[in-house]
Every structure is written in structure tokens, then in C-alpha cells.
Amino acid sequence: MAVPLNDVLAATLEHHHFTYGWLNPVMGLAFAAAGSFLGLSASRYARAAATAGGRLRWTLLAALAIGGVGIWMMHFIAMVGFTVTGADIAYDPVLTAASFALAVGAVGIGLFVSGGKHAGWPRLILGGLVCGAGVVGMHYTGMAAVATGGRVEYDPLLVAASAVVAVVASTVALRFTAVVDRRGSMALASAVMSVAVVGMHYTGMAAVEVHGPPQADVTGISPLVLLLPILILAMIAIVGMVFGVLASPSLDRPAAERNDRPSATVRLADAAGQ
């Protein structure tokens, strides 16, 4: 007996978010924690910078660390574990790059809008809304980049829930960047931020439904082909930021106890702003 065409078109395809087990979420959580910690470190130096140019450069570094490594890399690593049974997966490189730019830009704008330690709650909430909206845009732009061989639809309630999580997480993260002053506190704050990032991602992914029939051919680049160069670039960025932070004078000691001069990184950033 023939199956009606409408039933074939409406068939829900089986999909998985943990194709490789816990490897993807654990790796994603590690990137989220590393990016959050480096971003909070850069934010401390932005507050301590002597010039506007120095503050700008450290703030941009914080945006790259939190938005690029902590949020986008977590998203991409987790997405590699997303597969559809009986269908190939391919990524649109332009939309993938656009999702990266959205993540970094959203955090950067959020940092500037929210102000610093002494800014009021209205600015912080506005910054959280802007940043959260950008993170949501990043996530669903990244999803739009994925060709699944089927038709992707979303549960609107779970989409709304992911947006709420993104705004709350962004507001908390922006507050952390303004007030966290010690490495021990930064480690705890990074843990909170990374769990929030992972939670937002998988809340958004829980909204996904893929309907068939699956197509034999999908256009784009295999995620496993993209994975290696992206991992290499991410590791280069992380190592560069780690050395930049380590080369700068410790902010954990009172200024009177610091007998070392500002590092080349700080001097260059401050000199550029003069």
C-alpha cells in the first residue's frame, strides 16, 4: 500500500545531538570555560588600563575571548555532534563565519553598552538584552548554516526559553566582567558562565525538529573538514591570549607591591591610545 505523499513530506527524521557521546559537550564546556576565564582576565586589564586606547584593546580582546572562544567555539564543537539519521550534514561557510562575527560583535557591544563597575543597572540590563539577542542570533544563524538533508523546524516555546537563558546569561556575564577582581573569583565566575553557555545551546537544540524526506545531496562543507582548521585557529587564539595575560603585571597584588614594570602588551596598548 502506497504511503501518501503528504505523510512522507511530514515525516520527522531521527536526529541526534550526542552522536559522539559526551565528547562534544565536554569539549564545548572546556572551550566555554577557557574563553570565559580569558575574557574576564582581559576585562580586569581593561579596567586597569591607563588610557582609552588601552581600555579599548583589552575590551576587544575580552569580546574575542568570550564571544569567539567561549560562546562560538562551544556552539561549533557541540554542533559537530548533531547528525540526522540517513542524511548528510554540510555547513555553509559564509553563514558559519557570520555566526562567529555575531557572537564576537554581540559581546563587544554588550561590554560597551553595559559600562563598567560603576554603571547603573539600566545600562547593564540594556547591555544584557543586546548581548543576549546577539547570542541568540549567532545560534540560529549557525543553525541556518547547517544543511541537514531535510526541513528544519523549531518548537517556539523552546526557542523562547533559549532566548531567555541567553539574555540572563549575558547579563550575568557582563556583570562579572565589571566586578570580578581576583583569579579565584574568576574561576568560579567562568564555571557559571560556561554552564550557562552550554545550557543555552542545548536548550536551543532541543527545539529542533527535522522533517523529511532526506535529500541525497547537500551543499556546503562537511563539519569534520571544518573542525581541524577551526580548532587550530582557536588554539592559536587561546595561546596568544594566555601569553598576553601572563606577560602583563599581576592585578592580584596591591599596586604598591608590584615591583615589575607594565609588560610590553600593556605598554603598547596604552601607548597606542595616547
Side-chain angles (χ1 to χ4, degrees):
M1 180 177 176
V3 178
L5 179 60
N6 288 339
D7 291 344
V8 173
L9 295 176
T12 299
L13 302 180
E14 183 180 3
H15 62 278
H16 307 276
H17 300 297
F18 303 99
T19 301
Y20 305 103
W22 287 98
L23 176 63
N24 296 94
V26 169
M27 284 185 63
L29 185 65
F31 274 104
S36 298
F37 189 86
L38 288 169
L40 291 174
S41 298
S43 295
R44 295 173 76 206
Y45 284 103
R47 297 197 303 269
T51 67
R55 286 191 294 276
L56 174 63
R57 283 156 181 79
W58 280 113
T59 300
L60 292 178
L61 187 61
L64 178 62
I66 296 174
V69 176
I71 296 176
W72 188 85
M73 271 304 297
M74 184 278 136
H75 164 85
F76 182 80
I77 292 295
M79 283 302 303
V80 172
F82 173 71
T83 57
V84 178
T85 301
D88 292 328
I89 295 287
Y91 282 40
D92 182 322
V94 175
L95 286 176
T96 300
S99 69
F100 172 84
L102 271 172
V104 176
V107 174
I109 294 171
L111 287 169
F112 284 111
V113 170
S114 64
K117 189 172 185 177
H118 303 293
W121 281 100
R123 289 189 62 179
L124 175 64
I125 292 173
L126 178 60
L129 287 171
V130 171
C131 186
V135 171
V136 172
M138 175 280 301
H139 178 83
Y140 291 103
T141 300
M143 281 301 300
V146 180
T148 64
R151 186 178 73 259
V152 177
E153 295 182 358
Y154 298 96
D155 181 326
L157 291 179
L158 287 174
V159 170
S162 70
V164 171
V165 173
V167 170
V168 173
S170 296
T171 304
V172 171
L174 292 175
R175 186 59 179 168
F176 281 154
T177 62
V179 301
V180 174
D181 289 322
R182 296 283 177 176
R183 293 197 184 277
S185 301
M186 284 198 305
L188 178 60
S190 299
V192 173
M193 290 167 65
S194 58
V195 170
V197 170
V198 173
M200 180 270 161
H201 174 83
Y202 284 108
T203 301
M205 292 306 294
V208 172
E209 290 185 354
V210 184
H211 298 279
Q215 300 173 4
D217 296 321
V218 291
T219 58
I221 302 175
S222 167
L224 295 179
V225 173
L226 287 174
L227 182 60
L228 182 59
I230 287 176
L231 277 177
I232 291 173
L233 289 174
M235 294 309 298
I236 291 173
I238 289 173
V239 170
M241 285 185 276
V242 166
F243 274 100
V245 170
L246 291 179
S248 301
S250 174
L251 297 178
D252 289 328
R253 293 173 292 159
E257 297 178 9
R258 298 176 202 154
N259 53 18
D260 52 334
R261 294 184 301 169
S263 70
T265 306
V266 174
R267 292 199 304 272
L268 284 173
D270 288 346
Q274 293 177 349

